Amino acid sequence: MADDNVATRAPESDAQETSTGGVEQSVFPGDTRAQEGPSMGEHCTTDRPAPSGEAPTGELSKLNGVDVYVAKPSDYPHSPSKLLLLLTGGTGLKSVNNQLQADKYASEGFLVVMPDQFDRDPAPNSVDMTQIQEQATWLEQVKLKTAEGIKSFMIDMWLARHTPEKVLPILHKVIEGAKEEFADAIANGGGIYGVGYCFGAKYILILASEQSDPVASGENAPKDEEQGALNKEPLIRAGAIAHGTMVTKEDLEAVKSPVYIAAVENDPMFSEDEVLTPGRRAMEANKVEHKVQVFSGVPHGFAVLGDYDDPNIKQSQVQAFGQMLGWIQGH
């Protein structure tokens, strides 16, 4: 078993190094950065092959007007369950791998709600690029044709559409709907649990922090109690995240609920020096229960269900799932 800081190591050629341009970049095929700056890589926006012979068993439905994938334990509602909110990377709701991931948690006794946090607009690498180009304005078309990094530009456009001001209201609607639809599971677990991968990791951390009134979100939200903002308890009881993207040290500093973090060594999208280390120190100072596990020799996105040829990556994927599951089960 790995300690809190270092997990399974793959000593083969799977390592990360710095590119000649001075920007840290993974040598795993397809694990390039989507743009300059710590944003998203292709492992956040493109699925690995699904495990052979497996098919999703949950169902697509709506919860408080939001599209969701719901995976239930086989004996629910005859046996008690706990509610788990699963937030995905950029591949989103329709990803078979994400649905299978939800099913895995359901098989362990959780009633899993996986919302479409992107409002039917998953990341560009996971949809038909032709459709994206047809929807672009004339100026965007010019940029698409002339930009050296077409994928980088598309991710820029996509990220601009999916900010906390857009995503959080969707998540609040889902949580409110779950409180009515699955009140039994929430009561049985003493609250809502959360797991997040890549893009979704940031929002699990936000939901694990003190919340301002969701009705007053965005630029016009009150900044303090005198202006009418009322801080509320975190919306999740405990959370576990893997290889977050767009996470800031401020996100970690604000956490109040117990959290487990699976990180990747030398991950340019979740910097240890700029984000993870100062965030961890803040959680220690704030006496927030947490565990950080750093995995070596694996690509960003490794914990998302999907097939790899490298047995060491497969082993780390299984280990990360077990650690995340164990954390939410233990809280």
Side-chain angles (χ1 to χ4, degrees):
M1 180 64 65
D3 62 23
D4 288 359
N5 293 307
V6 180
T8 310
R9 295 183 179 275
E12 302 164 347
S13 60
D14 292 330
Q16 291 190 329
E17 56 189 31
T18 304
S19 67
T20 56
V23 178
E24 267 191 302
Q25 184 172 349
S26 171
V27 298
F28 294 100
D31 194 28
T32 54
R33 299 175 72 172
Q35 62 175 18
E36 293 296 319
S39 60
M40 296 182 69
E42 290 192 13
H43 274 83
C44 303
T45 60
T46 305
D47 269 333
R48 299 289 304 176
S52 177
E54 296 187 29
T57 58
E59 60 182 17
L60 292 167
S61 60
K62 285 188 178 290
L63 191 60
N64 202 13
V66 178
D67 291 333
V68 295
Y69 178 83
V70 178
K72 301 176 181 178
S74 58
D75 54 357
Y76 178 83
H78 304 294
S79 296
S81 183
K82 297 179 181 180
L83 188 77
L84 176 66
L85 182 71
L86 192 160
L87 303 184
T88 72
T91 50
L93 185 71
K94 298 294 182 67
S95 159
V96 171
N97 283 352
N98 291 339
Q99 293 177 1
L100 289 173
Q101 191 111 55
D103 292 348
K104 282 177 65 68
Y105 285 105
S107 71
E108 298 291 342
F110 285 91
L111 193 162
V112 184
V113 174
M114 185 172 74
D116 180 11
Q117 63 206 28
F118 307 124
D119 193 19
R120 304 183 183 183
D121 178 31
N125 283 12
S126 60
V127 297
D128 185 355
M129 291 295 293
T130 302
Q131 179 183 358
I132 296 294
Q133 290 174 327
E134 289 174 351
Q135 295 174 351
T137 65
W138 176 83
L139 180 58
E140 291 169 344
Q141 289 277 9
V142 172
K143 290 183 178 180
L144 285 173
K145 293 177 182 178
T146 60
E148 180 179 352
I150 180 172
K151 291 181 180 179
S152 299
F153 179 67
M154 296 308 301
I155 292 296
D156 283 345
M157 293 169 58
W158 182 77
L159 287 171
R161 296 195 297 272
H162 299 289
T163 61
E165 290 75 19
K166 296 292 182 62
V167 175
L168 283 173
I170 294 174
L171 300 182
H172 285 128
K173 287 182 67 176
V174 170
I175 289 172
E176 289 305 310
K179 288 179 179 179
E180 295 185 10
E181 184 76 15
F182 304 118
D184 59 330
I186 295 176
N188 182 60
I192 297 172
Y193 296 82
V195 293
Y197 297 83
C198 298
F199 185 101
K202 178 183 180 73
Y203 291 89
I204 291 298
L205 294 175
I206 293 175
L207 296 176
S209 306
E210 285 186 340
Q211 300 287 303
S212 296
D213 188 342
V215 176
S217 60
E219 295 181 357
N220 297 322
K223 299 299 186 293
D224 53 42
E225 292 188 8
E226 292 184 0
Q227 293 179 285
L230 298 175
N231 286 334
K232 300 180 180 180
E233 291 297 312
L235 293 177
I236 61 173
R237 179 183 177 92
I241 68 169
H243 38 69
T245 58
M246 311 299 290
V247 173
T248 67
K249 66 182 181 67
E250 288 78 14
D251 292 331
L252 292 170
E253 289 169 352
V255 167
K256 300 297 181 183
S257 299
V259 294
Y260 167 86
I261 299 172
V264 173
E265 187 178 38
N266 300 324
D267 186 352
M269 285 164 282
F270 192 18
S271 169
E272 185 170 354
D273 292 338
E274 298 177 9
V275 178
L276 187 55
T277 296
R280 186 177 189 177
R281 288 172 179 165
M283 288 188 288
E284 291 172 351
N286 295 335
K287 294 180 170 56
V288 173
E289 186 182 358
H290 65 282
K291 180 179 180 180
V292 177
Q293 189 168 5
V294 178
F295 289 78
S296 300
V298 295
H300 181 98
F302 80 97
V304 176
L305 191 69
D307 196 18
Y308 286 91
D309 293 330
D310 188 333
N312 296 291
I313 299 177
K314 289 183 177 182
Q315 180 183 355
S316 294
Q317 185 180 102
V318 171
Q319 184 180 6
F321 175 78
Q323 293 285 349
M324 295 173 75
L325 174 65
W327 183 265
I328 56 177
Q329 287 177 330
H331 291 82

